[in-house]
């Protein structure tokens, strides 16, 4: 059953409240489509900031704006992400409560975005201890814990603590876009920590394919589908796909080294350079360094990522390791080149490289020679071949999870029992 089919209405309503960023909106709306297809009414409470456009893509869901008031500095494209999260949290509390109250008494439960639930207070480790393992959080080191470079560490820890405390005090369960084969021990830890059930309902983009397709057209960027025809002209597993997601950005120097390393690697590549990719750039889409041979590459402002990763020509994914991108790559059996930028991406990158063994770290010393070497190692080297085999094994397990629906069915039963 996908997001286009509906079961009879059960009379139970679920309220979803996602953070207003594409990487959070997409899976939450995919979950909403799955719940609606199983007979639950779904209302999506959303901010005016980065508000989704529901009319074209999600007619089966009810969208309710909460009309928050954010300070101007929080809505700036250059806003510090932690300050932005704190401002959103403060501004949305009262209007969310009022919007939720307006929907009572028909609400069975609310599913509220709940990232930052682990590694409390550990992001401020001293530099000399960054390589030390974190007890009970293997394979993570101190440097892999959630962080946002340049932000106030105390503010970040305070935000994480508030989220975790609210979940312990108020949550009746946790919905996670994952599957048991890759995070069974982590799911058990969440259940133990909260003394509440955790529902591994992923991979959502495959369980709700219609909603996933709609999500690619519904938010901040329109995908350039011409890249699929370009991929058709390439042999299997020969092209490196490069995308740092919908929010992450890099300095101009890093961008130039990425470009020169890709051009010098000799590997064909499809590169997403979206508006805002380069921090502080005068142009929306920054120009490439002069004099590069780009004949092996194609650059687009945005790509239909799930279709790209499923394309047989794709042999690797240079990614920021946002969770949606990580899960989509795992599902398609594509090994990864990890360049985490902030927040949970460092955690995800460590799992990609050291827990599942399906990727390489680019590292913090970033120059064109190391970039070219890493690209060749992933795409044509023996180490990359081993990772590709492991990725293929994970793909089988991910597909098996997508073929079965016990987690989402159990979630629906649990919601109806509340």
């Amino acid at each position: 059953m996908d997001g286009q089919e509906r079961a009879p209405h059960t009379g139970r309503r679920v309220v979803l409240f996602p953070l207003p960023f594409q990487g959070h909106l997409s899976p939450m709306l995919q979950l909403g489509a799955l719940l609606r297809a199983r007979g639950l009414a779904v209302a999506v409470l959303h901010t005016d900031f980065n508000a989704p456009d529901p009319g074209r893509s999600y007619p089966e869901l009810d969208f309710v704006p909460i009309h928050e008031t954010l300070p101007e500095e929080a809505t700036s494209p250059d806003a510090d992400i932690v300050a932005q999260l704190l401002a959103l949290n403060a501004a949305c509390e009262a209007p969310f409560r009022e919007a939720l109250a307006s929907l009572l008494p028909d609400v069975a439960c609310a599913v509220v975005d709940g990232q930052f639930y682990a590694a409390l207070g550990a992001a401020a480790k001293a530099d000399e201890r960054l390589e030390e393992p974190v007890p009970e959080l293997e394979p993570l080191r101190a440097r892999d814990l959630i962080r946002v470079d340049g932000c106030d560490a105390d503010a970040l820890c305070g935000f994480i603590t508030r989220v975790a405390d609210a979940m312990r005090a108020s949550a009746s369960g946790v919905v996670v876009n994952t599957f048991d084969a890759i995070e069974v021990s982590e799911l058990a830890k969440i259940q133990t920590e909260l003394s509440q059930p955790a529902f591994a309902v992923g991979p959502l983009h495959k369980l709700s394919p219609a909603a996933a397709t709609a999500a690619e057209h519904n938010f901040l960027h329109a995908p350039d589908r011409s890249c699929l025809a370009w991929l058709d002209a390439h042999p299997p597993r020969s092209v490196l796909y490069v995308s740092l997601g919908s929010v992450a950005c890099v300095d101009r120097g890093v961008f130039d080294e990425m470009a020169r390393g890709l051009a010098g690697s000799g590997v064909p590549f499809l590169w997403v350079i979206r508006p805002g990719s380069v921090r502080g750039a005068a142009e929306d889409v920054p120009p490439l360094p002069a004099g590069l041979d780009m004949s092996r590459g194609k650059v687009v402002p945005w790509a239909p990522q799930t279709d790209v990763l499923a394309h047989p020509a794709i042999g690797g994914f240079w990614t920021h390791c946002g969770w949606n991108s990580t899960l989509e790559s795992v599902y398609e059996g594509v090994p990864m080149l990890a360049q985490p930028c902030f927040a949970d991406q460092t955690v995800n990158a460590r799992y990609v490289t050291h827990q599942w063994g399906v990727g390489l770290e680019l590292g913090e010393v970033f120059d064109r020679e190391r970039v070219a070497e890493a690209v060749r190692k992933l795409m044509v080297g023996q180490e990359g071949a081993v990772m590709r085999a492991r990725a293929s094994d994970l793909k089988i397990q991910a597909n098996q999870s997508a073929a079965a629906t016990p987690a989402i069915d159990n979630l629906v039963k649990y919601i109806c029992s509340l």
Side-chain angles (χ1 to χ4, degrees):
M1 180 181 292
D2 68 22
Q4 293 179 316
E5 300 171 354
R6 293 193 190 188
H9 198 310
T10 64
R12 307 290 284 172
R13 182 192 295 271
V14 178
V15 170
L16 307 182
F17 188 48
L19 275 174
F21 300 102
Q22 180 162 334
H24 295 254
L25 283 161
S26 294
M28 190 75 89
L29 296 183
Q30 292 161 12
L31 173 64
L34 283 170
L35 296 176
R36 180 64 192 93
R38 284 161 172 77
L40 294 169
V42 177
V44 181
L45 300 188
H46 65 85
T47 59
D48 290 332
F49 174 66
N50 281 351
D53 177 12
R56 182 177 63 215
S57 303
Y58 294 94
E60 71 274 21
L61 307 182
D62 298 322
F63 286 77
V64 181
I66 67 168
H67 299 310
E68 80 289 354
T69 301
L70 283 170
E72 184 176 347
E73 59 269 21
T75 62
S76 166
D78 299 323
D80 173 271
I81 187 64
V82 173
Q84 196 171 50
L85 288 170
L86 289 168
L88 278 166
N89 194 49
C92 292
E93 182 179 1
F96 168 72
R97 188 188 312 114
E98 292 168 7
L100 183 61
S102 73
L103 299 175
L104 297 175
D106 298 328
V107 176
C109 73
V111 180
V112 178
D113 199 300
Q115 74 164 19
F116 298 156
Y117 49 79
L120 301 181
K125 292 280 187 180
D127 288 346
E128 64 270 16
R129 304 185 65 187
L130 289 178
E131 298 300 329
E132 290 187 10
V134 180
E136 300 181 5
L137 290 179
E138 296 83 1
L140 302 184
R141 305 160 297 177
R143 71 163 58 252
D144 302 313
L145 298 175
I146 293 169
R147 71 173 190 270
V148 180
D149 292 338
C151 82
D152 182 78
D154 289 339
L156 175 59
C157 293
F159 176 76
I160 293 172
T161 300
R162 288 186 201 125
V163 171
D165 288 347
M167 291 179 70
R168 291 191 188 95
S170 305
S172 298
V174 180
V175 182
V176 191
N177 185 17
T178 190
F179 56 99
D180 284 344
I182 58 173
E183 293 196 286
V184 64
S185 63
E186 288 74 15
L187 289 162
K189 288 177 183 176
I190 292 171
Q191 293 190 138
T192 300
E193 176 77 14
L194 296 180
S195 299
Q196 298 288 356
F199 299 92
V201 299
L204 283 171
H205 73 286
K206 282 300 176 182
L207 287 167
S208 184
T213 300
E216 288 187 335
H217 295 80
N218 199 48
F219 298 119
L220 304 180
H221 314 290
D224 181 348
R225 299 191 66 84
S226 70
C227 63
L228 298 175
W230 182 83
L231 288 173
D232 289 341
H234 289 79
R237 298 183 299 280
S238 64
V239 178
L240 176 69
Y241 172 53
V242 185
S243 175
L244 298 185
S246 60
V247 174
C249 57
V250 297
D251 293 332
R252 179 74 213 198
V254 170
F255 176 81
D256 287 351
E257 294 304 299
M258 289 176 69
R260 296 187 186 283
L262 283 168
S265 70
V267 171
F269 59 90
L270 171 62
W271 189 5
V272 172
I273 305 178
R274 66 164 211 285
S277 291
V278 174
R279 193 176 291 111
E283 310 90 346
D284 280 345
V285 179
L288 293 165
L292 284 186
D293 177 7
M294 296 293 290
S295 59
R296 294 186 183 87
K298 181 175 178 62
V299 174
V300 295
W302 197 246
Q305 182 161 291
T306 54
D307 291 335
V308 168
L309 289 172
H311 197 286
I314 295 298
F317 182 13
W318 182 342
T319 173
H320 65 314
C321 291
W323 184 245
N324 293 333
S325 292
T326 300
L327 198 60
E328 289 161 9
S329 197
V330 165
Y331 184 86
E332 299 299 344
V334 177
M336 286 166 265
L337 199 57
Q339 186 187 354
C341 298
F342 62 88
D344 65 322
Q345 296 161 16
T346 51
V347 175
N348 302 338
R350 186 68 174 175
Y351 272 77
V352 165
T353 58
H354 285 75
Q355 182 78 351
W356 309 327
V358 295
L360 294 170
E361 287 182 282
L362 269 167
E364 296 188 5
V365 179
F366 203 92
D367 58 58
R368 66 198 72 178
E369 288 81 11
R370 294 193 183 201
V371 166
E373 179 185 4
V375 168
R376 287 191 292 267
K377 186 182 292 187
L378 182 73
M379 295 297 292
V380 299
Q382 180 58 36
E383 192 172 351
V386 171
M387 293 174 183
R388 192 165 289 106
R390 289 176 183 154
S392 295
D393 291 340
L394 279 187
K395 177 181 179 178
I396 293 171
Q397 296 176 68
N399 277 264
Q400 289 171 344
S401 292
T405 60
I408 192 71
D409 293 336
N410 289 338
L411 173 61
V412 171
K413 292 177 183 175
Y414 186 66
I415 289 172
C416 292
S417 72
L418 295 174

